Amino acid sequence: MYLKRVELQGFKSFADPITIDFKDGVTCIIGPNGSGKSNISDAMRWALGEQSAKMLRGGRMEEIIFAGTESRRPKGMAEVTLVLDNSTGILPIDYSEVAIRRRLFRSGESEYFINNNQCRLRDVKELIMDTGIGVDGYSFIGQGRVDKIVSDKPETRREVFEEAAGIIKYKGRKAEAQRKLDSAQTGLDRVGDIIADIESRIGGLKEESEKAKEHVGLSERYRELEINITLKNIESLQEKNKELKAQYDEAAAKIEERRCSRSAVDEELSSLRRRDGELELSATDIRERVAYNTTRALSLRSDALLSTEKRRTAERDEGRLKAEIEALESKKAEAEESSRLFGGADVESAAKLSELKSELDERLALARTAAAETAAATAAIEERRSEVFDLSRERSIKETELANNLELSSNFDEWKRRIEADIESVAGEISGLESSLAEISAGKEAFEREVSALTEHRRSLRGSYEDADRRMSETRRELERLRIETEQLTARRKTIEEMESNYEGYNAGVGALMKAGLSGVIGVVAELIDAAPGYETAIETALGPALQYVVCVDDASAKKSIAWLKENRAGRVTFLPLASIASRAGKAGAKTLPSSEGFDAFAIERVTYDSRYEKVMSYLLGGVAIARDIGSAVALSKSIGGFRFVTKEGDVVNPSGLITGGAYRNKTANLLERRAEIGTLSKRTNRLAEEHAAKAKEVDHFAEEGARYLGELQRTDELVREKEAELAGAVGELNLIASRLSERLERRER
């Protein structure tokens, strides 16, 4: 047999369900201080029935339930399950695997289970007895345990050795059997006392015995019915508890489902926020590329305009050159026409030609010189014209560039105005975002303060609720104690009243006569008087058999009653007729007796009765005096004769010197004490009823107070959830605004 696994839920620091598996061999659990190593051994001790909170390192047993943190709600229940391998059959149960479970609620209710079957702590202890895994055995050896075992008393060490030897079970059974034998012996002694007392008083009459048997049977029946009613109430409470547990499990499942849904929504929200950041980065990159492409397009547009202007200049130069070529061709034609004209007049001018030839030569020389000069001038002109053309072309280019630059400057001015407007807009947005950021930050801090205040208020309310619940539980236990005590006293009073009504303890004749209800019969002496508290034994001893004398109206009533007794063979009765009974004359020494040492009172002064029975009481108690003790009674009897002296303890000194003393073995049959007990029980019952009503009011008050605290706690929980949701929204909005602010700052910088 070995420990297979431990399952914990809500025990100390184990808020969530956790399972620790133990394989074959040695398993070590390590960790830093405060990590919860000792809580595992505490859980094992607790599951096996540890009842001392001090042994579990706590002040109260409720402290083992997870108390919650600022971010987690406390648990309402602690549960630990130990799963043992029983394949070898060491445990006396027909299962190869045994699961021992203990469960504790904050209300103080504790439950034990063996393989999911509810049981008692005694069943758990009997199951693991002599296996060595009990809380007092050698399975749990904590710090200082070995030194304590070695240095402790021999009896303590012996318990460990007996546990290891496997004889604890038999010693426990022996002790249990001895307790049962002692209880049985006590019951037998009590029964012997009752039998002896009854035999001494009623002589073992068959009729009274049958009545006693009937009373015992009815009492047993009453007890059985009361037990059945209690069991029925317990069953109904268990059914209601199961329904409440089912509702609790259903609510817990819904809460878990909502928690899972919330986690999924949070994850989706985080994913969307990451996607939004990626999109923002992509948009920023796209905006930068658009700005670059816009600049590039403007540059390309300027180059295109410049190329167009150059092309137009080239076209104008081409037209001009074509016109010059046409003019030169016209001049050539005119020159050819002049040459033909000069040829036709050659004959006529031959003479003149020679004249003119010389002149021509001169002129030609002049012409050549002029031509050379003209050619030089023409070359200079052509050079100047080329320079002018180049300057004109360069001017056109510069004008085109100027126009382009003017247009580009206009575009730059427009772009600058847009950028400045955008900067002003971004600055306004930045200012608004900064103010929103400050406002939301202030709101977030306010939300955090409200959540902290509500959490503290909730903790205070929970403490008040638990205190009210604890006080209500204590008051309910006190209420239950008062109820049980009241029922016991009521049952005792009913029993005594039933004995009184059935005239148990009286002679058979007295009981039969009083039940017959004959006219003229007033009652038994014991019914007509009430002894002062503390003097019941003395008065009953003083009256003796006279307690059962029957007081009647007159002699005729006594005769008629005697005739009825004879006719029905009911028994013998002594009658005290009021009309003919004579009071007892005063005795000598009655005046000096009150001043005597040891004198307490005259017996007739310690009873109360109706004035009609004055003569009867004088007859019965006129010669009886009460002394403080037996010594005083003996001394007074010797010094003052004629009186019978009794003590409160029931000792009697007769005028003749005869002394009677001792104690009754059973006081329940003393008639006066029984009647006094009825009154005492009635008063105590009334007092307990008043206390019960007061405690019931306290329970109702605590219940109302607990309900009020619980309602306020639920409302506070709702407010905390609302504020936490608002806080989460504010944090999300704060992050979003911070992201937007960072983006606007980067945009303004760009």
Side-chain angles (χ1 to χ4, degrees):
M1 181 186 70
Y2 66 93
L3 179 64
K4 295 182 69 175
R5 64 180 179 272
V6 178
E7 299 173 0
L8 306 97
Q9 180 179 359
F11 184 88
K12 288 192 175 181
S13 59
F14 299 98
D16 298 324
I18 185 173
T19 301
I20 303 174
D21 293 321
F22 298 98
K23 305 300 182 182
D24 293 340
V26 178
T27 301
C28 297
I29 300 175
I30 62 175
N33 293 337
S35 61
K37 303 185 297 298
S38 300
N39 291 343
I40 299 175
S41 61
D42 290 343
M44 295 180 184
R45 294 182 65 92
W46 181 71
L48 293 175
E50 180 61 62
Q51 300 298 311
S52 173
K54 184 178 179 181
M55 294 297 295
L56 301 176
R57 299 176 298 130
R60 296 184 298 116
M61 190 60 74
E62 290 77 6
E63 293 179 1
I64 68 169
I65 304 175
F66 178 70
T69 63
E70 292 183 357
S71 59
R72 302 197 61 172
R73 300 180 62 184
K75 296 291 184 180
M77 174 193 72
E79 181 179 287
V80 177
T81 303
L82 303 183
V83 181
L84 304 172
D85 179 83
N86 191 36
S87 57
T88 57
I90 293 178
L91 297 178
I93 187 171
D94 295 332
Y95 290 96
S96 61
E97 187 175 274
V98 179
I100 301 174
R101 180 188 306 167
R102 183 176 181 182
R103 184 182 296 161
L104 177 66
F105 298 92
R106 285 198 179 278
S107 58
E109 299 177 2
S110 181
E111 297 177 350
Y112 294 88
F113 297 87
I114 297 178
N115 284 0
N116 293 326
N117 295 317
Q118 191 167 2
C119 62
R120 304 168 299 175
L121 174 59
R122 178 178 178 180
D123 299 328
V124 174
K125 289 186 175 181
E126 289 181 352
L127 177 66
I128 63 177
M129 192 175 289
D130 290 338
T131 61
I133 62 174
V135 295
D136 297 326
Y138 52 86
S139 295
F140 295 95
I141 305 297
Q143 296 180 356
R145 175 68 172 166
V146 175
D147 293 338
K148 184 178 180 181
I149 293 176
V150 172
S151 61
D152 214 336
K153 295 184 297 184
E155 292 80 3
T156 306
R157 291 199 299 272
R158 181 177 181 180
E159 292 178 358
V160 178
F161 297 147
E162 289 176 348
E163 177 73 22
I167 62 174
I168 290 294
K169 180 192 299 183
Y170 305 104
K171 291 193 68 176
R173 290 178 179 176
K174 177 183 177 182
E176 182 67 21
Q178 187 63 43
R179 283 194 298 271
K180 290 181 179 180
L181 288 173
D182 293 341
S183 177
Q185 185 61 44
T186 302
L188 289 174
D189 293 341
R190 178 66 175 167
V191 170
D193 293 342
I194 294 173
I195 291 174
D197 187 74
I198 291 176
E199 287 177 350
S200 65
R201 289 186 175 273
I202 63 175
L205 296 178
K206 183 177 181 180
E207 180 181 357
E208 298 300 326
S209 177
E210 291 176 354
K211 290 180 181 180
K213 291 179 181 179
E214 182 180 2
H215 176 263
V216 171
L218 291 174
S219 299
E220 290 293 333
R221 178 60 178 165
Y222 174 77
R223 187 161 46 252
E224 290 177 0
L225 292 174
E226 187 177 14
I227 292 173
N228 291 333
I229 292 172
T230 304
L231 292 175
K232 185 66 177 176
N233 293 334
I234 292 173
E235 291 177 357
S236 63
L237 289 175
Q238 289 177 346
E239 292 295 330
K240 187 175 181 181
N241 190 21
K242 290 180 180 178
E243 294 177 359
L244 292 175
K245 285 182 180 178
Q247 295 176 3
Y248 174 79
D249 293 339
E250 183 179 357
K254 289 182 178 179
I255 290 172
E256 189 64 28
E257 182 179 356
R258 296 290 175 83
R259 187 178 290 112
C260 294
S261 301
R262 180 180 177 183
S263 300
V265 170
D266 290 340
E267 291 178 359
E268 184 177 359
L269 180 60
S270 299
S271 176
L272 290 175
R273 285 177 177 169
R274 289 194 299 270
R275 178 61 177 164
D276 182 64
E278 293 173 358
L279 292 176
E280 286 292 336
L281 293 176
S282 300
T284 303
D285 184 55
I286 290 170
R287 282 193 292 269
E288 291 176 354
R289 290 170 60 189
V290 167
Y292 173 75
N293 290 332
T294 302
T295 306
R296 181 64 177 164
L298 290 174
S299 177
L300 293 175
R301 183 178 178 186
S302 299
D303 294 341
L305 290 174
L306 181 59
S307 299
T308 302
E309 187 63 29
K310 289 180 179 179
R311 183 176 58 80
R312 288 176 183 176
T313 303
E315 289 177 353
R316 286 195 300 270
D317 292 342
E318 183 181 2
R320 182 177 57 77
L321 292 174
K322 285 181 180 180
E324 290 179 357
I325 291 170
E326 289 177 356
L328 291 174
E329 286 179 353
S330 176
K331 289 180 179 180
K332 180 181 179 183
E334 290 179 357
E336 288 177 354
E337 184 63 29
S338 297
S339 179
R340 282 193 302 269
L341 290 175
F342 289 150
D346 185 42
V347 178
E348 296 177 357
S349 301
K352 194 178 180 179
L353 178 63
S354 60
E355 294 177 0
L356 296 174
K357 192 171 184 178
S358 59
E359 187 179 357
L360 177 61
D361 291 335
E362 295 176 1
R363 298 284 180 93
L364 285 174
L366 293 173
R368 287 189 194 96
T369 304
E373 293 177 358
T374 302
T378 302
I381 290 170
E382 288 297 330
E383 185 179 355
R384 295 294 184 270
R385 184 180 292 168
S386 177
E387 290 179 0
V388 169
F389 176 74
D390 290 338
L391 290 173
S392 176
R393 184 175 59 186
E394 186 176 357
R395 176 184 178 185
S396 298
I397 292 172
K398 296 300 182 183
E399 287 177 351
T400 303
E401 289 180 356
L402 179 60
N404 292 335
N405 288 332
L406 289 174
E407 184 178 357
L408 186 59
S409 175
S410 177
N411 292 334
F412 281 151
D413 292 338
E414 181 63 26
W415 194 10
K416 180 180 179 183
R417 285 193 297 273
R418 287 201 303 268
I419 289 174
E420 288 175 350
D422 194 8
I423 289 175
E424 291 179 358
S425 175
V426 169
E429 291 183 6
I430 289 174
S431 178
L433 290 174
E434 288 177 346
S435 61
S436 299
L437 186 66
E439 182 180 354
I440 293 175
S441 298
K444 173 178 172 291
E445 293 176 358
F447 281 140
E448 289 176 346
R449 288 193 297 271
E450 290 181 6
V451 169
S452 177
L454 288 174
T455 302
E456 185 64 29
H457 182 57
R458 178 174 61 182
R459 188 179 296 109
S460 175
L461 286 176
R462 184 169 297 281
S464 299
Y465 170 71
E466 292 177 354
D467 182 61
D469 185 67
R470 176 184 57 78
R471 288 187 292 172
M472 183 175 67
S473 300
E474 293 175 355
T475 308
R476 280 182 174 171
R477 288 193 292 271
E478 183 67 18
L479 192 65
E480 183 66 16
R481 184 191 65 78
L482 291 174
R483 184 188 66 80
I484 295 173
E485 186 176 357
T486 302
E487 290 178 353
Q488 292 174 348
L489 294 178
T490 303
R492 172 68 177 171
R493 189 188 64 186
K494 288 182 178 179
T495 301
I496 297 175
E497 289 177 347
E498 185 177 353
M499 293 173 66
E500 283 289 307
S501 62
N502 292 330
Y503 289 93
E504 294 185 13
Y506 291 87
N507 292 332
V510 174
L513 179 64
M514 297 307 299
K515 291 179 182 179
L518 299 178
S519 59
V521 176
I522 297 175
V524 185
V525 171
E527 294 178 335
L528 301 179
I529 62 174
D530 290 313
Y535 291 89
E536 294 89 352
T537 303
I539 299 300
E540 187 164 356
T541 303
L543 290 174
L547 275 175
Q548 300 190 36
Y549 289 175
V550 175
V551 178
C552 58
V553 177
D554 49 22
D555 296 341
S557 301
K559 292 177 182 178
K560 183 172 65 174
S561 299
I562 292 171
W564 183 88
L565 290 170
K566 290 180 178 179
E567 181 181 354
N568 293 277
R569 302 182 63 82
R572 297 174 62 83
V573 176
T574 301
F575 293 91
L576 295 172
L578 289 177
S580 58
I581 194 71
S583 60
R584 193 179 299 273
K587 294 183 177 293
K591 293 182 179 181
T592 60
L593 187 58
S595 59
S596 301
E597 181 67 25
F599 175 77
D600 188 304
F602 291 106
I604 198 170
E605 295 175 349
R606 293 295 180 262
V607 295
T608 56
Y609 49 85
D610 192 284
S611 58
R612 294 181 299 169
Y613 314 127
E614 180 67 32
K615 292 193 296 182
V616 172
M617 298 307 158
S618 176
Y619 173 76
L620 296 175
L621 297 174
V624 179
I626 301 174
R628 294 197 181 103
D629 50 45
I630 184 64
S632 301
V634 172
L636 290 172
S637 177
K638 291 180 178 180
S639 61
I640 301 175
F643 280 92
R644 187 156 58 101
F645 292 94
V646 298
T647 65
K648 291 183 179 181
E649 290 77 17
D651 303 320
V652 182
V653 178
N654 291 287
S656 61
L658 183 66
I659 301 175
T660 303
Y664 292 107
R665 297 185 65 185
N666 185 3
K667 294 185 177 182
T668 57
N670 295 348
L671 301 180
L672 291 182
E673 288 188 2
R674 192 167 69 186
R675 285 176 53 80
E677 187 177 1
I678 291 175
T680 303
L681 290 175
S682 298
K683 293 178 181 178
R684 289 185 61 189
T685 303
N686 294 334
R687 180 176 56 80
L688 290 176
E690 293 175 357
E691 292 183 10
H692 189 278
K695 292 295 182 182
K697 289 182 179 179
E698 289 184 11
V699 168
D700 294 339
H701 170 70
F702 289 141
E704 292 176 358
E705 188 176 1
R708 178 168 59 81
Y709 283 135
L710 184 60
E712 190 172 352
L713 184 61
Q714 292 174 350
R715 290 192 296 272
T716 305
D717 288 340
E718 293 177 359
L719 285 175
V720 168
R721 287 193 292 271
E722 292 176 1
K723 294 299 179 183
E724 287 178 348
E726 292 178 1
L727 179 59
V731 171
E733 188 175 357
L734 185 64
N735 294 333
L736 179 60
I737 290 177
S739 177
R740 291 174 60 188
L741 179 60
S742 177
E743 177 191 347
R744 295 300 186 272
L745 291 173
E746 292 177 0
R747 181 177 176 186
R748 184 178 67 178
E749 187 66 23
R750 288 197 304 272

